[in-house]
Amino acid sequence: MVDRPGIRRRLAVASPAWARQLPIALLSFLLIPQSLRAAPACRALQEQRDQFATRAMQAEIALVQTIRRRLCPREEALAEQANAIDKAPADSALVAPLDIGAYIRCREQAERLLGRTRPVLYRNQQKFLFYTAEGARLARAADDLAPQLSAACTSPQAQPSP
């Protein structure tokens, strides 16, 4: 760097005295936006919320699956076999074909029956209905993290998931 008295004086005037004395690493930390420093806390809260939401949905899926097994045992068994084949395709020739239309009708029938026979215990922020105590508890816990998420996460990606 060329040592010119005028340039050195201008730099000295433009930067505060405390900034010249701070180590570069500390100065860079101070210059990092708050949103980037909060990223680990944001990610941890998002993961916690997603775990609660996933477990809540699993509880509801298990309930509807139980009802479908009772209403349409054949279609549900074929759907489970088809799902198993997706994981281990070697046995695909041994399974009867799934009638998708019948399976959809069975699912709709199970959902209608569930709506008529069980009270809604919780409706989450995305308006999904929870009929099981466990699902409602977990969904409520996921929704309760929303204020903490909005405080810790300043990015638009902090929106809650179902």
Side-chain angles (χ1 to χ4, degrees):
M1 175 172 153
V2 177
D3 187 20
R4 292 187 229 160
I7 292 176
R8 188 173 294 254
R9 249 180 281 140
R10 273 184 274 155
L11 288 176
V13 171
S15 62
W18 60 268
R20 288 187 303 246
Q21 296 172 355
L22 287 175
I24 300 246
L26 183 57
L27 184 60
S28 65
F29 176 77
L30 292 173
L31 297 176
I32 295 173
Q34 178 67 25
S35 62
L36 293 178
R37 286 194 304 247
C42 177
R43 279 193 301 271
L45 283 170
Q46 286 174 334
E47 287 174 12
Q48 184 179 14
R49 185 227 23 232
D50 290 348
Q51 287 175 357
F52 284 148
T54 298
R55 289 173 45 210
M57 294 298 290
Q58 287 170 344
E60 299 306 306
I61 289 167
L63 173 64
V64 174
Q65 190 174 32
T66 301
I67 293 172
R68 284 194 318 256
R69 280 187 189 125
R70 194 175 64 233
L71 292 175
C72 321
R74 181 179 182 277
E75 285 79 12
E76 189 61 27
L78 289 173
E80 288 175 7
Q81 288 174 356
N83 189 31
I85 287 173
D86 287 344
K87 295 175 184 168
D91 299 332
S92 62
L94 303 174
V95 178
L98 175 64
D99 180 354
I100 300 294
Y103 186 66
I104 290 172
R105 287 188 297 279
C106 178
R107 286 185 64 160
E108 291 169 346
Q109 183 182 3
E111 290 170 3
R112 282 192 304 273
L113 179 64
L114 182 61
R116 286 192 314 264
T117 60
R118 289 248 178 151
V120 174
L121 299 178
Y122 185 69
R123 181 186 303 257
N124 73 355
Q125 292 175 348
Q126 289 75 35
K127 308 297 183 231
F128 186 84
L129 304 177
F130 291 87
Y131 297 97
T132 65
E134 182 71 1
R137 182 185 68 77
L138 291 164
R140 190 174 284 111
D143 284 351
D144 288 347
L145 289 174
Q148 294 171 339
L149 273 166
S150 64
C153 308
T154 58
S155 70
Q157 300 164 345
Q159 299 300 316
S161 66

